[in-house]
Amino acid sequence: MLALVTVSAIFLRWLPQHGLPILLLFAVSAGAAAAIYFTQRRRYRARSRGIRKENVDADITAVLWTAFAGVVLGGLGVGIVLAG
Amino acid sequence: MTNSEIPGGAVPPSRGKIAERLLPGGEEPDPRFTLANERTFLAWIRTSLALLAGGIAIEAFTADLFLEAVRKGLAVVLLLLGMLLSAGSAVRWLRVERSMRKKAPLPLPLIVPLLAAAGALAAAVVLVFILWR
């Protein structure tokens, strides 16, 4: 989550060079960070219960969403660089 | 005891449709291994985010250092690599999780040689450009 927040701030740094489209990158990374922040307590609770029961379900949805956010950020970045 | 070994014929707890579909069969692995697999995935995601930020940075900040084609080329290589790492890390997580469920040997990490090759290529492009300039 902190990595996404940091990267979203770095994206904002390129606003003067790339203009408003960079806000899309900021929105995706900051949105992903916010989603992680607002769900981490629930996931942490589920994990600690799972460790106590010695049975933790793999959090496949979170993994797929995080990877998808990375792919979207990359795709938008390529689009912005090529269009600039 | 695993989900598939609940005594008395009780119905095992549902894992959700996506999990049943993408991680079929086998038994739930040791929680420590599942959590370690997730930490490795997150480490790859951090690398991917660094590449994405680096790609944008190269394009924005090296205008007076590189020719436009070299600058855009390097930026696109880094961004594509970041995308590929992001998708590859999810695939790797899935393959490792499947292997652990089936108590099979862990698969070789395909994204490691890919990352090494792309990193070497980007470094070679920069080196050639600096020597040629």
Side-chain angles (χ1 to χ4, degrees):
Chain A
M1 182 197 77
L2 286 177
L4 278 164
V5 171
T6 308
V7 166
S8 67
I10 291 173
F11 286 146
L12 271 188
R13 178 67 186 76
W14 317 141
L15 197 58
Q17 282 82 15
H18 293 291
L20 288 181
I22 211 79
L23 288 178
L24 271 175
L25 285 171
F26 171 77
V28 172
S29 51
I36 291 170
Y37 177 77
F38 287 118
T39 56
Q40 68 178 352
R41 196 168 179 81
R42 176 178 58 76
R43 280 183 287 113
Y44 184 85
R45 196 179 296 128
R47 291 308 166 89
S48 52
R49 280 187 191 140
I51 290 171
R52 199 174 59 206
K53 290 190 294 182
E54 293 190 10
N55 188 343
V56 170
D57 283 337
D59 197 353
I60 194 162
T61 315
V63 167
L64 293 181
W65 271 115
T66 310
F68 180 67
V71 171
V72 169
L73 282 174
L76 285 172
V78 170
I80 287 171
V81 166
L82 291 180
Chain B
M1 186 172 68
T2 63
N3 280 353
S4 56
E5 294 170 350
I6 291 177
V11 179
S14 170
R15 292 193 295 126
K17 279 182 187 171
I18 302 174
E20 291 285 357
R21 184 170 177 161
L22 294 177
L23 296 171
E27 298 173 353
E28 292 293 343
D30 187 315
R32 288 169 296 181
F33 299 155
T34 299
L35 296 175
N37 190 23
E38 201 170 293
R39 283 197 298 275
T40 309
F41 165 76
L42 291 173
W44 280 115
I45 286 291
R46 281 194 295 275
T47 308
S48 149
L49 287 173
L51 287 169
L52 294 177
I56 298 283
I58 277 197
E59 224 287 310
F61 264 165
T62 58
D64 48 351
L65 186 65
F66 295 131
L67 296 173
E68 189 181 348
V70 175
R71 197 176 76 230
K72 285 204 171 188
L74 277 175
V76 167
V77 165
L78 287 179
L79 288 166
L80 288 178
L81 195 58
M83 267 175 90
L84 212 58
L85 265 192
S86 200
S89 60
V91 172
R92 164 99 185 133
W93 176 87
L94 208 55
R95 292 177 71 205
V96 169
E97 201 65 31
R98 278 180 190 153
S99 298
M100 290 195 304
R101 290 184 70 84
K102 292 172 181 166
K103 301 194 188 309
L106 297 184
L108 283 174
L110 296 177
I111 48 181
V112 170
L114 180 79
L115 179 64
L121 178 71
V125 169
V126 174
L127 187 66
V128 166
F129 181 77
I130 287 174
L131 290 176
W132 172 71
R133 201 171 172 218

